[in-house]
Amino acid sequence: MAETLNAAQTSIVIPAFNEVDAIGVVVRDLASAARWLEILVVDDGSTDETGAQASAAGARVIRHPYNKGNGAAVKSGIREAAGVFVLIADADGQHRPADAARLVSHLDAYDLVVGARSGATQASLARRAGNAVLNALASYLTEQRIPDLTSGFRAARRECLLEFLHLLPNGFSTPTTTTLAFIRAGYSVRFEPVEAARRAGVSKIRLGSDGFNFFLILLKVITIFSPLRIFAPISAAAFLFGAGYGAWTIVTQSHVTNSSVLLILASVVILLVGLVSEQISALRIEGRSPR
C-alpha cells in the first residue's frame, strides 16, 4: 500500500547525456513498475537522439542547450518536479524498476532512501576499492555507517532536497553531497540493498579526477556540517607530534626547539578555528525551518 500511495506522489528524475541506447527502455520499464506522478528526463545537451527516445517512451523531457553535468541535470529535474517525493535514477539501465517502488515505499518514515549496491555489482575492482575507501572515510566523518556513498539511485522528500540544492555540484558528486548533507543535518537516512546490473554503454566517470573530486566534496560538506570531525584530529596530531618532538629534544639536546613550539601553537590555532567553525555550523542549522 505504501508503495502505491508514495509512487503516486513521486516524480522520477533521470539525468541523461548521450544515452540513446538505454533511455527508452529505462523509461518504459519504470513506467510499468508503478503509477508514478511523472517521469522527467533531463537531456543534458545530448548530441544523439536521447531526448527524442525519452519523449517517445512517455517521459516529459527537459532539455539543456549544452552539457552542464550530471549534477546540473539533477538540479533542473528537482526544480521542475511536481511530486512530494523525488526518485533519482540513472539513465544507463543499471537499476531494477521494481527496486524504485521499494525505495519510495520507505519515505513515510525516512527523508532519504539510498539504493545501496552490493560490492559485487559495483563495476571494476579498482572502482570497488575506491568506493570502499570513500565509504570508510565518510562513515568516520559522519559517525554513521555508509555502505554506498556514490549510488545515484535514491529517493527523497523534495522539500529536503531543495534545502541543499545550492550545495550540489554540477558534476558527478551529487549522490555524495546529498547523502552527507542529509546525515549531518539530522534527517533520517536509510540504505536499502539493491542489485545493479552492468551499465549499457561507457561510464562517464573518470576514476582518477572524479575520485579526487569526490574526496574534496566529502571534506567540503563535512566542514560545513561538522567541522570538528576534521579540525580536531589534525590539531591533536600536530600537538602530539610537537610535544613528542619537544620532549625528545629536551632529553637529547637539553632545550626545546622552535619547531616543536610552532607545532604546539599551530595545534591550538587549528583547534580554535575548528571551534569557531563548529559554532557557525550550529547557527546555520538552527536557521533551518523545522518540519
Side-chain angles (χ1 to χ4, degrees), residues 117-280:
R117 303 159 294 179
S118 63
T121 63
Q122 295 187 44
S124 65
L125 178 61
R127 183 72 58 79
R128 292 198 297 270
N131 284 342
V133 172
L134 286 175
N135 293 341
L137 182 57
S139 297
Y140 160 73
L141 292 175
T142 59
E143 301 179 83
Q144 179 173 328
R145 182 177 177 273
I146 298 179
D148 191 357
L149 180 66
T150 60
S151 172
F153 191 36
R154 54 192 52 224
R157 295 180 179 274
R158 180 174 178 269
E159 62 176 318
C160 298
L161 288 171
L162 289 173
E163 181 180 339
F164 303 116
L165 209 63
H166 65 287
L167 294 178
L168 303 185
N170 288 340
F172 282 101
S173 300
T174 299
T176 301
T177 304
T178 54
T179 300
L180 296 173
F182 271 66
I183 290 174
R184 294 313 304 173
Y187 283 127
S188 300
V189 178
R190 177 186 178 94
F191 293 92
E192 182 72 10
V194 299
E195 296 296 322
R198 187 172 294 276
R199 65 164 281 127
V202 179
S203 173
K204 300 173 183 66
I205 297 178
R206 297 175 297 277
L207 183 61
S209 59
D210 287 321
F212 180 69
N213 287 335
F214 287 151
F215 176 74
L216 290 181
I217 289 291
L218 188 153
L219 293 182
K220 172 186 172 183
V221 175
I222 294 302
T223 301
I224 291 173
F225 288 98
S226 188
L228 272 180
R229 295 294 291 176
I230 295 175
F231 285 101
I234 296 175
S235 173
F239 178 82
L240 290 174
F241 189 76
Y245 184 59
W248 182 79
T249 56
I250 289 174
V251 172
T252 59
Q253 303 176 28
S254 300
H255 71 279
V256 178
T257 63
N258 292 335
S259 299
S260 60
V261 174
L262 287 174
L263 281 170
I264 293 173
L265 289 176
S267 72
V268 174
V269 171
I270 293 170
L271 181 60
L272 292 175
V273 171
L275 289 172
V276 172
S277 300
E278 190 79 11
Q279 295 303 312
I280 294 173

Side-chain angles (χ1 to χ4, degrees), residues 57-88:
R60 177 159 71 96
V61 178
I62 302 166
R63 290 183 175 85
H64 285 173
Y66 56 90
N67 181 242
K68 299 180 182 181
N70 179 270
V74 169
K75 287 189 281 189
S76 292
I78 293 171
R79 292 188 187 103
E80 292 289 330
V84 175
F85 309 121
V86 172
L87 172 74
I88 302 170

